[in-house]
Amino acid sequence: MKKFKVYDMYLDDGKDGVFKVTVPAPNKKEASEFVSGNGEIVTIKENPLVQDIDIPYLVQVLTEAQYGKAEIDVITRTLEMVGLDRY
């Protein structure tokens, strides 16, 4: 599985101005492809704050929100597989 990074992408929609979208992707090229058609890309910046998600805390929050074990496993394993877990 490809390792992902999280990018903050700033787009100009040509009408209402510039807006930010946060996108997980393996690289800037794929992040750009994801937002294609939603406006002109002004800039792309790696978001260092979202690169390391605290999985045990996420499990706690999802459990408290009454997510099931299977759903929690899918979410947390996916984050681990793409390298967005803290550990």
Side-chain angles (χ1 to χ4, degrees):
M1 166 105 0
K2 295 179 182 179
K3 296 297 179 185
F4 281 37
K5 293 184 177 183
V6 178
Y7 299 96
D8 287 334
M9 307 190 61
Y10 296 85
L11 299 132
D12 186 341
D13 66 2
K15 293 183 270 182
D16 298 321
V18 176
F19 62 98
K20 180 176 97 169
V21 178
T22 302
V23 177
N27 53 53
K28 287 182 180 181
K29 180 179 182 275
E30 289 193 37
S32 297
E33 290 171 0
F34 181 79
V35 299
S36 178
N38 292 303
E40 179 182 340
I41 297 171
V42 176
T43 189
I44 303 172
K45 297 179 181 181
E46 191 174 316
N47 182 328
L49 300 176
V50 189
Q51 301 298 331
D52 63 341
I53 296 170
D54 185 340
I55 300 294
Y57 179 69
L58 178 61
V59 168
Q60 176 187 338
V61 170
L62 293 174
T63 300
E64 289 171 2
Q66 299 183 347
Y67 277 72
K69 182 172 176 7
E71 291 87 356
I72 293 171
D73 286 347
V74 168
I75 293 166
T76 57
R77 287 180 183 165
T78 301
L79 290 170
E80 290 167 352
M81 289 171 48
V82 298
L84 293 178
D85 58 318
R86 183 167 290 169
Y87 306 100

